[in-house]
Amino acid sequence: MIWNPERETMSRGDLSSLQLELLQRQAARAYERVPFYRQAFRERGIHPQDIHSLDDLRLLPFTRKADFRDHYPFGLLAVTRRELARVHASSGTTGKPTVVAYTQADLAMWHEVCAREMVAGGITDEDMVQIAMGYGLFTGGIGWHYGAETLGATVVPASSGNTKRQIMLMQDFGTTVFCCTPSYAIYITEQAEEMGVDLASLDLRVGIHGAEPWSEGMRREIRERMGLDPIDTYGLSEMVGPGVAGECTHHCGMHISEDHFLPEIIDPETGEPLPYGERGELVLTALTKEALPIIRYRTGDITRLDPTPCACGRTHVRMEKVSGRTDDMLIVRGVNVFPSQIETVLLEVEGVQPHYQIVVDRERGAMDDLEVWVEVSEDVFTDDIGRLKRLQDKAEFEMRETLGIQARIKLVEPNRIARSMGKAKRIIDRRDVYGD
Ligand code: DLL
């Protein structure tokens, strides 16, 4: 089923005309109402009336995360405080959070795009949807909550945490759809195992995941352990939260709701737009948001776009699974690598569990040094030392062969790595200690 066939199956030509019209209107609103954009346009010697085609998008200035921080909390708004219906925020790793705001119309759009994605993932009004993403300032819980309500499903607003209760609710309510981050999904399966509950035998059908990078290996683990179809969804607070893009049941990339979010891929070094099919940084323009008309937002996320027709009938372009964030990319002796690539390699090694952490270190003046801590199952850990050593050698060999990087693998006992109920912290960066 398609939630909004008129929009989601529009011809590419009609979609481009709509996007151009919306872009022209949005650029004019940003220019008129947000001093930051007026100044940025003027600095580039551009006026909204100079936009004649979608190609002219490249003339417009970028917006960066730092711009949100510099205008904290409400400096980028295009509406008065009175017109705001809701505020959310994403916790930055340091300093002030990124604050985002919505008018009533923005909320209606957000509900619609979340409903679209859930329907694309196979959810219907007969489903019992347990939302185990955080409610509150984080957009995940509340975003999916209204998406599921909009499409007519039954919502169980569990929020994240209280894992034993999550499992009890799944059993007692007959939950069919479970929303959580991929790392929380794995944690839940472990808890279920401890409780003697076989999740795969419950009514679970579809998993709505996202909010952090995860590999196909992780998808396989979740599918097997939970007995559901794990769907990848992508979003970010600066646009709306969840609802920007999501997979259909064909699993061939995430359809971007292009009538609301205009995507580009750029070379992260030069800022130059790249053609379809090339991998680079995703840049998004919020075409319809009233409160925050964000232009050319540098997401920092690395992906590529595929405009070829999809078997589901949706015409919106698909973005490939995000391989990582530009700021999470590790450069190990000249080789660029993302944590998700390390995850892919690790999960191919028999006996290794999907719990790992990457420790990056650097002695002053020396090169980056990578150590990967990864858990092994109880039986492997308590087995003879020779088996552990063979496993470690194998994992190190695979890292070299597949990724071309030299990494020390440290196999650790079960439960040694901290579990996450939201976004997992995969990298421990000790390089900053040396101040270079
Ligand atoms: O994580 C919104 C969201 C909630 C998306 C629930 C999907 C499901 P933020 O907290 O602002 O918003 O974080 C946004 O998370 O720029 C990506 O780096 C990362 N991210 C989100 N979805 C994915 C995904 C929400 N499917 C940031 N794969 C983004 C990889 C993702 N990374």
Side-chain angles (χ1 to χ4, degrees):
M1 204 195 120
I2 296 180
W3 176 250
N4 186 340
E6 195 188 317
R7 284 298 185 91
E8 293 177 77
T9 61
M10 240 175 164
S11 75
R12 297 291 308 165
D14 287 351
L15 183 62
S16 297
S17 310
L18 174 68
Q19 287 174 323
L20 177 60
E21 191 190 316
L22 293 172
L23 177 66
Q24 287 166 329
R25 196 189 307 159
Q26 190 68 312
R29 277 187 89 247
Y31 185 88
E32 280 156 23
R33 295 177 180 224
V34 187
F36 163 76
Y37 281 117
R38 191 171 321 126
Q39 191 187 335
F41 276 52
R42 284 185 177 157
E43 275 167 13
R44 305 199 79 177
I46 165 120
H47 189 274
Q49 282 174 353
D50 299 331
I51 304 171
H52 303 293
S53 75
L54 284 177
D55 276 345
D56 292 336
L57 183 60
R58 66 178 65 197
L59 304 174
L60 303 183
F62 288 122
T63 311
R64 294 178 166 81
K65 196 162 195 91
D67 298 318
F68 277 83
R69 245 175 264 137
D70 293 348
H71 298 86
Y72 174 84
F74 300 128
L76 294 179
L77 291 187
V79 296
T80 62
R81 262 344 138 76
R82 204 157 165 256
E83 290 166 90
L84 293 184
R86 177 113 52 81
V87 173
H88 279 278
S90 75
S91 51
T93 36
T94 49
K96 299 280 192 194
T98 303
V99 175
V100 293
Y102 310 70
T103 63
Q104 285 293 353
D106 293 338
L107 290 180
M109 178 273 277
W110 189 17
H111 303 165
E112 144 95 18
V113 290
C114 284
R116 277 185 197 179
E117 282 178 20
M118 291 181 123
V119 170
I123 299 172
T124 73
D125 59 2
E126 293 187 18
D127 277 302
M128 176 74 74
V129 183
Q130 187 167 329
I131 316 252
M133 283 204 178
Y135 278 62
L137 287 176
F138 175 55
T139 53
I142 291 184
W144 290 129
H145 178 108
Y146 284 109
E149 276 192 5
T150 300
L151 73 90
T154 310
V155 177
V156 183
S159 194
S160 64
N162 210 335
T163 308
K164 290 202 167 99
R165 194 184 56 180
Q166 301 276 4
I167 295 165
M168 183 190 75
L169 296 178
M170 279 183 207
Q171 291 178 292
D172 296 350
F173 294 1
T175 300
T176 54
V177 177
F178 199 76
C179 293
C180 67
T181 58
S183 44
Y184 192 37
I186 296 288
Y187 180 44
I188 284 177
T189 64
E190 287 181 327
Q191 287 277 308
E193 215 167 277
E194 264 178 39
M195 291 163 67
V197 176
D198 175 19
L199 294 180
S201 70
L202 303 184
D203 295 334
L204 295 167
R205 232 170 41 74
V206 181
I208 297 288
H209 306 295
E212 62 181 358
W214 55 310
S215 63
E216 286 300 331
M218 192 67 95
R219 193 206 294 269
R220 203 171 52 232
E221 292 280 337
I222 296 173
R223 179 180 286 124
E224 278 165 19
R225 294 177 184 209
M226 291 190 89
L228 46 67
D229 185 17
I231 298 283
D232 194 7
T233 66
Y234 170 86
L236 62 166
S237 322
E238 292 85 344
M239 288 295 118
V240 267
V244 175
E247 283 178 335
C248 61
T249 47
H250 295 275
H251 298 288
C252 52
M254 297 179 276
H255 291 279
I256 300 180
S257 270
E258 280 187 281
D259 51 335
H260 295 289
F261 311 106
L262 182 58
E264 299 168 81
I265 297 291
I266 62 160
D267 176 333
E269 301 290 326
T270 64
E272 284 305 311
L274 296 173
Y276 280 141
E278 281 195 36
R279 200 172 276 121
E281 180 180 350
L282 178 68
V283 170
L284 291 167
T285 296
L287 290 174
T288 53
K289 282 256 309 248
E290 291 182 343
L292 279 171
I294 299 299
I295 308 274
R296 301 193 86 198
Y297 184 67
R298 304 261 318 230
T299 66
D301 296 315
I302 301 295
T303 184
R304 58 180 169 179
L305 301 180
D306 181 356
T308 59
C310 180
C312 72
R314 289 175 183 79
T315 49
H316 293 181
V317 291
R318 286 161 286 145
M319 59 183 270
E320 181 185 72
K321 225 171 190 339
V322 172
S323 36
R325 295 187 50 78
T326 45
D327 38 15
D328 276 348
M329 191 175 76
L330 303 163
I331 304 176
V332 192
R333 301 184 189 194
V335 180
N336 300 352
V337 60
F338 286 110
S340 63
Q341 292 174 286
I342 294 179
E343 179 180 298
T344 301
V345 172
L346 286 177
L347 292 185
E348 290 298 324
V349 181
E350 184 95 29
V352 157
Q353 295 294 302
H355 299 290
Y356 65 96
Q357 222 156 27
I358 300 163
V359 185
V360 198
D361 210 339
R362 183 195 296 158
E363 300 288 339
R364 184 178 273 290
M367 285 190 265
D368 286 355
D369 180 54
L370 204 70
E371 190 166 86
V372 181
W373 292 30
V374 58
E375 284 184 16
V376 287
S377 51
E378 189 73 47
D379 60 316
V380 174
F381 199 74
T382 47
D383 207 341
D384 70 292
I385 198 89
R387 182 158 173 219
L388 270 181
K389 179 79 178 78
R390 281 196 299 279
L391 207 66
Q392 180 185 348
D393 289 347
K394 168 108 175 92
E396 288 181 355
F397 173 79
E398 292 297 337
M399 289 286 160
R400 270 197 313 276
E401 281 296 294
T402 320
L403 302 178
I405 56 166
Q406 207 82 32
R408 270 198 316 285
I409 304 284
K410 188 169 159 184
L411 302 176
V412 298
E413 70 273 25
N415 282 316
R416 175 74 181 273
I417 311 262
R419 301 297 190 252
S420 161
M421 299 188 194
K423 299 179 191 243
K425 184 170 167 46
R426 301 292 188 197
I427 302 182
I428 300 177
D429 197 334
R430 298 204 175 123
R431 286 174 299 189
D432 297 344
V433 177
Y434 305 102
D436 53 1

